[in-house]
Amino acid sequence: MSELTLREASRKPDLLAPGHRLCAGCAEPMVVRMILKAVRGPTIATTATGCLEVATTIFPYTAWNLPWIHNAFENAAATASGIEAAWRAMRRKGRGPLSKYETLDVVAFAGDGGTYDIGLQALSGALERGHDFTYVLIDNEAYMNTGIQRSGGTPYAAETTTSPAGSVIPGKREWKKPIEDIVIAHRIPYAATLSPAYPLDVLRKARRAFEADGPAFLHAIVPCSRGWRFPPEKTIMVSRLAVQTCVFPLWECWLEKGRPVYRLSAPSEAVAKRPESKKPVEEYLSIQGRFRHLFQPKRRDDIIKSIQEWVDERWMQLLEKAGLG
């Protein structure tokens, strides 16, 4: 794996330019810019319908400084598959605009709605066929673009416009779908989680994903100040707390002799080595308005406790996978 330093990355041009219309405090452009800093050369990106797409391509303007394709909500992985297949066909035949490139980084960006729900079929098919591309799940945990509706990625007890918190239901009643487990079950070469609070970790994992021989999956948590109800200047603090509480631990997974090998990234490895440093999930929940109903007008210790237990259980499972449990 080739290494990429922050200094080298800072000298590369931005492939997602400023001037887009994403919300103040949105973590999506932070993660996307860092990932695109890690591309190796010729690159084609595709983006499913969502916040990232609509706010970066308001006609006649575009923020994308690279070949880019917009596709429907459900088929980012299918579009990336087609790009990669076309490149291979042109290389094989020795003709066509892509035939001169020995390597081509193909990257698909999609939100949680386009991945957990609507696009899961296309993603599964692309992973099963083994197309060589990088799929980035930019997870703001709801359909934010269309009005903050719940998705399969929305966490338990979060309030959205379709899972309101009131006297009948306390927000979303289902747990977050284990998308990484589903993806890794396809036996892909590489998968990892990302947080905008740790840029060097994002760069290193993105480069490794692009260098993987086959499909790679990157799952980035992208806090949404509007949908999660926190001040825009606290995006990085929320991103970091998600890791420090183990709500969203950082790790990577690759195949060795056909078996998945897990490794914790430095921020989460530090928590594993010093369990007393693991922060309670309450710190993460209490700063977000979408969980305000857990603390007022009446504190819901029963729900907070169940969330803590779910996080602890998932964390223990991850430690076991990484050989630390």
Side-chain angles (χ1 to χ4, degrees), residues 2-286:
S2 59
E3 293 292 338
L4 181 67
T5 66
L6 283 176
R7 174 174 293 184
E8 291 170 340
S10 68
R11 292 171 177 169
K12 299 181 69 174
D14 281 326
L15 297 180
L16 181 69
H20 52 70
R21 301 183 190 180
L22 287 158
C23 300
C26 177
E28 290 191 0
M30 304 176 196
V31 169
V32 173
R33 283 180 63 203
M34 285 187 268
I35 289 173
L36 292 179
K37 290 281 188 181
V39 299
R40 299 166 296 174
T43 304
I44 299 177
T46 182
T47 309
T49 297
C51 295
L52 180 66
E53 178 267 323
V54 300
T56 57
T57 58
I58 297 175
F59 185 81
Y61 306 106
T62 178
W64 296 89
N65 281 331
L66 76 169
W68 174 87
I69 300 174
H70 167 233
N71 51 252
F73 219 143
E74 71 280 9
N75 59 353
T79 303
S81 301
I83 297 169
E84 191 260 358
W87 168 67
R88 289 195 181 278
M90 291 181 195
R91 289 284 297 171
R92 187 171 59 252
K93 296 177 180 177
R95 65 175 188 272
L98 300 179
S99 61
K100 61 184 177 182
Y101 301 127
E102 293 186 2
T103 62
L104 179 69
D105 288 338
V106 180
V107 54
F109 295 100
D112 49 293
T115 304
Y116 287 90
D117 304 329
I118 302 172
L120 185 58
Q121 177 185 358
L123 175 60
S124 177
L127 299 181
E128 183 265 335
R129 294 189 300 272
H131 290 282
D132 190 357
F133 75 110
T134 297
Y135 189 98
V136 184
L137 163 55
I138 42 176
D139 190 359
N140 57 19
E141 300 188 328
Y143 290 83
M144 299 303 182
N145 175 48
T146 51
I148 319 177
Q149 295 91 7
R150 59 85 81 191
S151 76
T154 303
Y156 176 71
E159 180 180 28
T160 72
T161 53
T162 50
S163 58
S167 57
V168 178
I169 63 172
K172 192 192 176 197
R173 290 182 284 189
E174 300 82 21
W175 296 97
K176 193 177 176 82
K177 193 183 293 183
I179 190 69
E180 297 108 341
D181 294 342
I182 296 170
V183 168
I184 291 171
H186 288 74
R187 306 176 72 82
I188 62 173
Y190 186 72
T193 57
L194 312 175
S195 165
Y198 303 93
L200 189 57
D201 187 61
V202 174
L203 286 172
R204 192 180 65 80
K205 290 174 177 172
R207 175 58 65 88
R208 191 163 189 183
F210 289 125
E211 292 181 345
D213 185 17
F217 182 83
L218 300 175
H219 183 183
I221 189 169
V222 287
C224 170
S225 61
R226 185 170 181 272
W228 295 19
R229 310 298 188 195
F230 62 81
E233 67 273 16
K234 292 188 176 179
T235 300
I236 295 300
M237 185 186 78
V238 174
S239 303
R240 188 175 295 114
L241 268 175
V243 176
Q244 293 172 332
T245 56
C246 298
V247 169
F248 193 85
L250 296 178
W251 52 267
E252 56 188 335
C253 175
W254 62 91
L255 286 182
E256 280 187 10
K257 298 180 180 179
R259 298 177 66 87
V261 177
Y262 286 79
R263 180 171 65 189
L264 296 183
S265 307
S268 291
E269 186 179 25
V271 176
K273 290 180 177 177
R274 294 182 60 247
E276 67 276 12
S277 67
K278 180 169 175 281
K279 295 188 176 181
V281 72
E282 183 175 337
E283 287 193 32
Y284 175 70
L285 302 176
S286 61

